[in-house]
Amino acid sequence: MNGPAPAPWSALLEGLPHAAWLVDLASQQVVAANAAAGDMLGCTPVQLVGQSALVLAASPEDLAFWDACAAGERGALLSDTVVTTADGRQVHASRSIRFVGEAHALVLLRDRSSEERTERERESLLSELQATLESTADGILVTDLFGRIRAFNRRFAQIWGLPAELMHQRDDEAVHRWLADHAADRADYQPRLDTLNQAPLLHASDRLRLRSGQILERVTRPLYSDGQASGRVWSFRDLTERIAADERIEALTFSDALTGLPNRRRLASRFADAAAAARSSGKPFALLVIDLDHFRQINDSLGHDIGDRVLLDVGQRMQGCLREPDLLARMGGDQFAALLCPADALAAEASARRLLNVVAQPCNVEGAQFTLTCSIGMALFPSHGNCIDDLVRHAESAMRKVKQGGRANFSLHQARAEGDRRSHMRLDHAMRQALVSNRFRLHYQPQVRMTDNIIVGAEALLRWRDPELGEVAPARFIPVAEDSGFIVAIGDWVLSQAVRQAALWHQRGYQMPMAVNVSALQFQQSQFIDRVANVLAVSGLPPHLLELELTESILVHDAADALQRLGALSQLGVKLSIDDFGTGYSSLAYLKRFPIHKLKIDRSFISGLPLDDSDVGIVRAILQMAQALGMRVIAEGVETEDQRRFLLEAGCSEFQGFLFSPGVDSLSFEQLLGPPVAPAALLSSEASTRRHQRRIRLVRS
């Protein structure tokens, strides 16, 4: 029969820090409980007295224990269980049952609800971390300071080709041996790994090549615990496909699509190396421009397929007669260039004679026999120029003199004659007077969207009519202005006038981006960024409606300075594009870094479309490269519908040229645009929609 617990037991129970009750073994009922037990179970200690021990904790383990007690067995019970409170809640607890004397058992329960929550949170966090590891495309490996593996994801095993059984064995040494064995350069792999392991706080990134041919980027960072380094996190990214794609793009960028020879960009890159070597050694080098004579007759009479085969054959011949360090590049069409390093005037002449001889060897293509000749112009570094643009220009000038003198010969660039210098001075003076007398004017050529012939922009074109000289072509006075430095003043005038006109159009409701050409010298002025910002501020033109067209030489003259200046312009909100793309010497590495949003294909590559295979190949390569870089492309000098249709099908987004309209004055340009779009408040929705969908009729000239 159940009776009250002795007083000493009650005092003992109350002195315990955890919930406790005393069970009479004969009846298996509670005879005493402390206040902590009542708090845990949501009742008073008095209410617990008389209840069955099986009711308070009824897990299978408890039931088995009390059954054993009834059978006379005496064994302690210590484990975790769940008890139910008076209001139905379940409390996780650590439960201990021990016998006290011959007639009673003491049940102790320690509330471990907070521990249970912490455990669940930890398990949830571990699950989330594991899910995160598995969701990344990188292979992740976590090690302690001694290289023992703490965690990894499946991608890590996939990248390294680790067998599943090896990872499951948890044999760290075997895993590390596998990694070392599969590194292409094992002799270098282990020392680099040891260096990283010996510097627990080091952040590092490098590349590994595996025997399989894979190229991995390995990044390692320290793993911290309680503010101290406790291991390392390694991430492995497979760069194989990306590097292969970059190499393919680089190959397209630096190689001629038809002949496989280096192109202009490769020539520019080699020129930079040769210039640096020449400055340190004091030995000059030569640039030869080789133009095939009357090559167009081959295309016209035998067809472009035969012409392409002839270009391949001639390229191989010329390549074979040059020295090992020399470089032969195809400039485009039937024009090649040879960089001879080192070479003085005599060595350049000797190479030119060899080139003349190999080109003049008889050709026999599909039964057609003929003989080619070539004209060669030569320029020397540094006496004829310090940059590739100067040497190419001077070599081409010398080559044109050979053409004028009967072809099939070579000529070295000669300094400007006295008469040329005087003409230069007169033109320079006339330009300065023209700026003061306001004789310069701007015309605006529409930039048109390919798909629907809607005008989407305007390019500002400089025009000059002199009282004595008449209409002076930009091709005549711009080089003189660049040579004298006066191009800076002219460029500032063009910028301010073009922005002012764009602002007026903007006020009248025309959202018309304005493209303005920027010379290399103007761009390099220390105040240029401030000048652009000031012109925009004074005019009120939104910066995104101004597009600065830069030449490729600007980007490679001083890449670091150019990047900083272009970044500042981009922060202003100004759009940036590369003008006459394909005629300069841009590097793909530069294009990826600079905030350029548009490329303009030079008109020299458009004129032969769609019949000239070399122009077709160049244009397609430019469009593919621009697509890979996320840039828009506009073609200039589009004069025929066939050219426009080819560019549209090839993926070019915009064009400008005489097919649509030449450069016109501002009033004529507004007539091409039609009435400006009125504010939405003044137009019905239907009328506004019709106005936005208005198409400009194609204007031919």
Side-chain angles (χ1 to χ4, degrees):
M1 185 149 176
N2 197 32
W9 289 118
S10 298
L12 176 62
L13 292 177
E14 290 300 334
L16 295 174
H18 302 296
W21 55 80
L22 195 65
V23 178
D24 178 71
L25 294 178
S27 63
Q28 294 190 354
Q29 292 181 347
V30 176
V31 295
N34 63 5
D39 293 340
M40 174 182 284
L41 300 177
C43 60
T44 65
V46 175
Q47 291 174 324
L48 292 176
V49 175
Q51 292 195 33
S52 171
L54 298 177
V55 174
L56 299 181
S59 70
E61 202 173 15
D62 290 284
L63 296 177
F65 176 82
W66 294 114
D67 285 344
C69 287
E73 298 181 12
R74 295 290 186 269
L77 178 62
L78 179 62
S79 63
D80 293 335
T81 187
V82 178
V83 296
T84 304
T85 65
D87 57 2
R89 292 183 299 106
Q90 290 188 331
V91 178
H92 291 268
S94 293
R95 178 246 300 107
S96 169
I97 304 178
R98 297 182 182 276
F99 292 96
V100 181
E102 295 296 330
H104 296 87
L106 179 63
V107 180
L108 290 173
L109 282 91
R110 181 176 59 83
D111 190 342
R112 56 183 307 274
S113 300
S114 61
E115 297 176 11
E116 185 69 20
R117 286 194 299 271
T118 301
E119 185 67 25
R120 286 198 302 269
E121 291 173 358
R122 182 164 53 248
E123 291 178 356
S124 176
L125 180 59
L126 288 175
S127 298
E128 292 174 1
L129 289 175
Q130 189 63 36
T132 302
L133 288 178
E134 295 299 344
S135 66
T136 181
D138 296 343
I140 304 296
L141 175 67
V142 182
T143 63
D144 63 14
L145 292 176
F146 302 99
R148 292 188 292 261
I149 296 175
R150 300 269 298 277
F152 63 90
N153 63 357
R154 284 193 293 269
R155 181 59 179 155
F156 167 73
Q158 292 172 356
I159 288 177
W160 283 92
L162 285 161
E165 59 273 13
L166 182 59
M167 299 305 295
H168 293 151
Q169 290 171 3
R170 294 290 183 175
D171 187 342
D172 295 352
E173 291 186 3
V175 171
H176 287 302
R177 281 198 304 271
W178 179 280
L179 302 184
D181 289 342
H182 284 73
D185 189 354
R186 182 170 183 177
D188 180 60
Y189 173 84
Q190 194 59 47
R192 290 164 69 184
L193 184 62
D194 292 341
T195 300
L196 293 171
N197 286 330
Q198 291 168 8
L201 301 182
L202 182 66
H203 295 241
S205 175
D206 60 355
R207 287 189 177 182
L208 300 175
R209 183 178 293 274
L210 305 188
R211 289 189 302 170
S212 62
Q214 293 172 270
I215 300 175
L216 307 182
E217 179 185 45
R218 176 174 64 181
V219 178
T220 179
R221 297 178 180 274
L223 177 67
Y224 291 97
S225 177
D226 295 330
Q228 294 184 341
S230 60
R232 281 198 168 278
V233 177
W234 307 80
S235 68
F236 300 89
R237 177 170 297 180
D238 193 339
L239 302 179
T240 310
E241 292 185 2
R242 194 182 81 183
I243 291 176
D246 289 344
E247 289 175 349
R248 288 193 293 270
I249 294 175
E250 288 289 321
L252 287 173
T253 304
F254 288 103
S255 300
D256 175 60
L258 174 64
T259 63
L261 292 171
N263 61 8
R264 290 172 178 262
R265 295 174 184 81
R266 178 64 71 190
L267 177 67
S269 176
R270 182 68 67 84
F271 179 92
D273 295 339
R279 292 187 181 101
S280 61
S281 66
K283 296 181 179 179
F285 63 88
L287 178 71
L288 278 58
V289 172
I290 307 119
D291 193 272
L292 301 183
D293 298 328
H294 302 300
F295 182 77
R296 187 170 183 175
Q297 296 178 2
I298 303 295
N299 285 331
D300 292 344
S301 60
L302 301 179
H304 287 278
D305 289 341
I306 299 293
D308 289 346
R309 293 176 60 181
V310 171
L311 289 174
L312 281 168
D313 178 57
V314 170
Q316 292 172 357
R317 292 187 196 179
M318 292 192 293
Q319 183 77 46
C321 78
L322 295 178
R323 304 169 303 179
E324 181 63 28
D326 298 337
L327 177 76
L328 179 70
R330 185 185 179 207
M331 303 285 279
D334 58 356
Q335 190 175 96
F336 298 82
L339 194 65
L340 312 180
C341 305
D344 55 14
L346 293 177
E349 290 181 5
S351 295
R353 290 191 178 92
R354 291 197 301 271
L355 290 168
L356 288 173
N357 290 334
V358 298
V359 171
Q361 293 176 5
C363 296
N364 189 338
V365 181
E366 294 187 358
Q369 297 183 355
F370 51 89
T371 299
L372 282 174
T373 61
C374 65
S375 299
I376 303 175
M378 305 180 297
L380 299 177
F381 177 95
S383 56
H384 295 154
N386 289 307
C387 69
I388 191 168
D389 290 335
D390 290 342
L391 258 65
V392 169
R393 185 171 68 252
H394 293 155
E396 286 182 337
S397 176
M399 179 268 295
R400 286 191 292 271
K401 290 180 180 179
V402 174
K403 294 275 190 184
Q404 295 169 1
R407 298 179 171 84
N409 207 338
F410 61 85
S411 175
L412 183 67
H413 169 70
Q414 301 295 325
R416 185 185 289 113
E418 182 64 22
D420 291 336
R421 287 195 292 269
R422 291 181 178 178
S423 174
H424 181 117
M425 292 173 60
R426 286 196 300 269
L427 193 59
D428 180 70
H429 176 72
M431 280 191 302
R432 297 176 187 274
Q433 296 302 310
L435 187 60
V436 173
S437 304
N438 200 27
R439 295 186 185 126
F440 287 114
R441 66 189 189 281
L442 290 183
H443 279 184
Y444 305 92
Q445 186 170 43
Q447 296 181 332
V448 187
R449 193 160 57 204
M450 279 282 185
T451 54
D452 52 14
N453 289 326
I454 289 180
I455 298 176
V456 294
E459 180 183 6
L461 303 176
L462 182 62
R463 297 291 182 260
W464 174 29
R465 182 173 184 81
D466 186 84
E468 297 181 2
L469 302 175
E471 194 75 24
V472 186
R476 179 183 174 191
F477 68 84
I478 290 296
V480 176
E482 290 178 337
D483 190 46
S484 67
F486 191 60
I487 191 67
V488 175
I490 294 178
D492 286 346
W493 182 87
V494 172
L495 177 65
S496 63
Q497 295 299 313
V499 170
R500 181 182 302 173
Q501 181 61 63
L504 288 174
W505 283 339
H506 181 256
Q507 294 170 7
R508 296 172 187 170
Y510 297 106
Q511 299 294 318
M512 188 56 51
M514 177 68 71
V516 179
N517 287 278
V518 177
S519 71
L521 187 59
Q522 182 185 8
F523 179 79
Q524 292 160 9
Q525 298 300 302
S526 59
Q527 308 90 352
F528 178 69
I529 307 299
D530 293 336
R531 172 66 174 160
V532 174
N534 184 61
V535 168
L536 289 171
V538 171
S539 67
L541 180 70
H544 71 275
L545 293 180
L546 174 61
E547 176 179 311
L548 300 180
E549 293 189 355
L550 313 171
T551 61
E552 294 180 69
S553 61
I554 289 177
L555 306 183
V556 298
H557 174 72
D558 186 341
D561 182 68
L563 180 60
Q564 182 178 3
R565 290 173 178 269
L566 293 177
L569 290 169
S570 181
Q571 288 181 356
L572 289 177
V574 173
K575 301 297 184 182
L576 303 170
S577 64
I578 298 181
D579 191 23
D580 299 334
F581 187 78
T583 62
Y585 309 95
S586 290
S587 164
L588 182 61
Y590 292 150
L591 291 179
K592 292 192 295 185
R593 295 169 56 197
F594 294 143
I596 302 297
H597 84 289
K598 184 191 290 187
L599 303 179
K600 177 179 282 188
I601 303 178
D602 184 65
R603 64 180 66 248
S604 62
F605 302 124
I606 304 300
S607 60
L609 296 179
L611 300 178
D612 190 312
D613 290 344
S614 60
D615 287 343
V616 167
I618 290 171
V619 170
R620 289 190 186 278
I622 292 174
L623 290 170
Q624 291 172 2
M625 182 192 67
Q627 182 180 10
L629 294 173
M631 296 180 181
R632 292 163 50 208
V633 178
I634 181 172
E636 66 175 351
V638 177
E639 299 182 356
T640 68
E641 180 59 23
D642 288 342
Q643 293 170 349
R644 190 196 71 84
R645 188 179 299 111
F646 170 85
L647 291 166
L648 174 62
E649 294 172 353
C652 185
S653 55
E654 300 169 15
F655 77 98
Q656 64 184 86
F658 277 52
L659 175 64
F660 190 94
S661 172
V664 295
D665 58 54
S666 59
L667 292 178
S668 300
F669 192 92
E670 291 182 20
Q671 292 176 357
L672 291 175
L673 290 173
V677 177
L682 302 180
L683 293 174
S684 67
S685 175
E686 179 179 357
S688 178
T689 301
R690 287 199 304 270
R691 187 67 56 83
H692 278 291
Q693 293 176 342
R694 182 183 64 246
R695 297 183 177 233
I696 306 301
R697 178 176 298 175
L698 194 64
V699 177
R700 299 179 183 271
S701 60

